[in-house]
Amino acid sequence: MVTIPDQYFGKVEFYAVDNAGNVENQNTSATTIVVDSTAGTWNAAYAYKKTVEEGEAVYTDTNGVQYTRFDTTVTLFMDETFFDLSLEALKLTEKGKASAAAPTISGDDSRGEWTKGEDGIWTIDLTLTTEGDHDMVMEYTNRSGLASEKYSQKIVIDRTAPVAQIEWAEAERVEKDGTRYYKNNAEKPATATLTVVDKNFNPDKAVVSDLYEAVNGTQETKSVPAVWTQDEQDSTKWTAVVTLTEEGDHKLTVDVTDWAGNVMETKTTDKVIIDYTAPVLEELVFNETDVVNTNKALDRDYYKGEVVATVKIIERNFDEKDL
């Protein structure tokens, strides 16, 4: 019996020697013997075509999905002593279209060739530039029937920035310049519905702020909590509803950075004024020099001509046409 090593490739040579010392001519097996007792191992590396000034190249969500806005080169590594290219089972799904065997490359995407390095590791490069979802699944079963552990990765290339809209509830009054007035009562609260449309929206990177000026004139920027809800019919549509309550002047702003790092242009509303304080009549004075007669008993002053009255009102949002 002859024992062949666990990892072996070649033909077996053998001969026999009898007790008298006679040596048989050397024989060689007719077939090549391959012994492969170890499954191959997959790995991958990612490179992004970007400059340092362009910021973070890739973001990864809690499910392990990678998001980027840059062209991506994926280098796949296969550590398999007897790697058989004819058994390659690399699959790539792009934009929902799956290939049965080798990757289907669309647009400007490209695929290199498998090459074996001096260290015995096989590599291949996939260059992904087409915007959309790229799902990679790498599987391999060698001729000995040993399956490699499956390696899978989803890469999303997204170069489209989010778009936002802000819609206010019905106001008590809206001026020509867009300024809206609210009493902040139950019937007409200062409520805004925020809508963001983006395929790869990240709620954690959606910042809602209130540029607030109090009735005493102090100004500050306040963070506004917002709970975002994904639309059941349109997965790219997200909404949040916020209500402002503090008396004063407000301007809402929305800033969004999606999972791929695309930054939306800041969305800012027209001024919103919450005013639930009624005007105060501090003083009402008539022109006493024109009084011709006074009846103290009836508390009456009599004039024979035009009467001039001076009114002093305390009101932050006074409009003389409403007097």
Side-chain angles (χ1 to χ4, degrees):
M1 183 175 67
V2 178
T3 301
I4 300 175
D6 289 344
Q7 296 292 107
Y8 180 80
F9 178 89
K11 294 185 178 182
V12 177
E13 297 180 349
F14 59 92
Y15 59 89
V17 180
D18 62 17
N19 289 331
N22 298 304
V23 180
E24 179 191 20
N25 292 332
Q26 181 170 296
N27 295 282
T28 302
S29 62
T31 60
T32 298
I33 304 299
V34 180
V35 179
D36 189 356
S37 60
T38 304
T41 304
W42 288 106
N43 211 334
Y46 304 87
Y48 307 92
K49 189 177 180 181
K50 61 176 287 295
T51 63
V52 174
E53 291 77 13
E54 289 177 304
E56 192 73 22
V58 62
Y59 301 83
T60 305
D61 67 13
T62 55
N63 296 317
V65 178
Q66 295 185 8
Y67 298 84
T68 184
R69 58 192 186 281
F70 302 104
D71 293 352
T72 304
T73 298
V74 184
T75 301
L76 307 180
F77 301 90
M78 182 58 177
D79 186 358
E80 165 65 69
T81 303
F82 304 116
F83 185 45
D84 190 333
L85 296 181
S86 67
L87 298 178
E88 176 200 323
L90 168 62
K91 299 178 182 178
L92 181 68
T93 301
E94 293 184 344
K95 294 184 177 180
K97 298 179 180 179
S99 61
T104 298
I105 300 298
S106 62
D108 295 325
D109 293 350
S110 62
R111 168 189 165 126
E113 300 291 336
W114 283 104
T115 58
K116 186 176 182 180
E118 294 182 359
D119 57 359
I121 305 298
W122 290 82
T123 62
I124 189 174
D125 286 342
L126 300 178
T127 301
L128 308 178
T129 62
T130 304
E131 191 169 7
D133 297 358
H134 305 261
D135 289 285
M136 292 188 304
V137 177
M138 292 163 277
E139 297 177 288
Y140 179 76
T141 300
N142 62 24
R143 291 288 182 183
S144 298
L146 298 173
S148 303
E149 183 177 353
K150 182 171 69 173
Y151 183 95
S152 62
Q153 180 62 57
K154 182 173 184 176
I155 300 174
V156 178
I157 298 178
D158 178 5
R159 302 184 182 92
T160 304
V163 177
Q165 291 183 338
I166 303 176
E167 183 177 349
W168 286 97
E170 182 183 0
E172 296 288 346
R173 179 172 177 171
V174 181
E175 298 290 357
K176 291 182 179 179
D177 65 356
T179 302
R180 308 175 73 85
Y181 290 88
Y182 290 90
K183 291 181 182 178
N184 205 40
N185 55 25
E187 290 75 22
K188 293 182 180 180
T191 298
T193 299
L194 318 177
T195 303
V196 174
V197 176
D198 188 72
K199 185 176 184 292
N200 299 301
F201 176 68
N202 182 0
D204 293 335
K205 292 294 185 72
V207 178
V208 183
S209 302
D210 178 16
L211 309 180
Y212 173 61
E213 181 178 335
V215 293
N216 63 5
T218 59
Q219 297 179 343
E220 62 178 313
T221 299
K222 295 186 174 186
S223 176
V224 179
V227 178
W228 295 92
T229 303
Q230 189 175 29
D231 189 277
E232 294 182 357
Q233 304 300 321
D234 183 356
S235 62
T236 68
K237 183 178 179 181
W238 294 75
T239 58
V241 178
V242 299
T243 299
L244 304 180
T245 60
E246 291 187 84
E247 191 171 22
D249 297 0
H250 304 261
K251 279 190 176 182
L252 274 185
T253 65
V254 180
D255 293 281
V256 179
T257 301
D258 66 16
W259 272 110
N262 298 297
V263 180
M264 182 189 80
E265 183 177 351
T266 299
K267 183 73 173 179
T268 304
T269 66
D270 294 322
K271 183 186 294 185
V272 168
I273 297 176
I274 298 176
D275 181 1
Y276 44 79
T277 302
V280 176
L281 178 60
E282 185 177 67
E283 189 176 37
L284 175 60
V285 179
F286 295 96
N287 188 359
E288 295 182 356
T289 59
D290 295 331
V291 176
V292 295
N293 196 2
T294 298
N295 187 329
K296 297 292 186 180
L298 297 176
D299 195 20
R300 293 179 181 175
D301 291 330
Y302 295 87
Y303 299 79
K304 68 174 181 179
E306 185 179 78
V307 179
V308 177
T310 301
V311 180
K312 185 177 181 180
I313 295 176
I314 300 176
E315 170 58 46
R316 187 168 182 266
N317 299 303
F318 178 71
D319 191 332
E320 63 179 15
K321 67 175 177 290
D322 294 328
L323 181 63

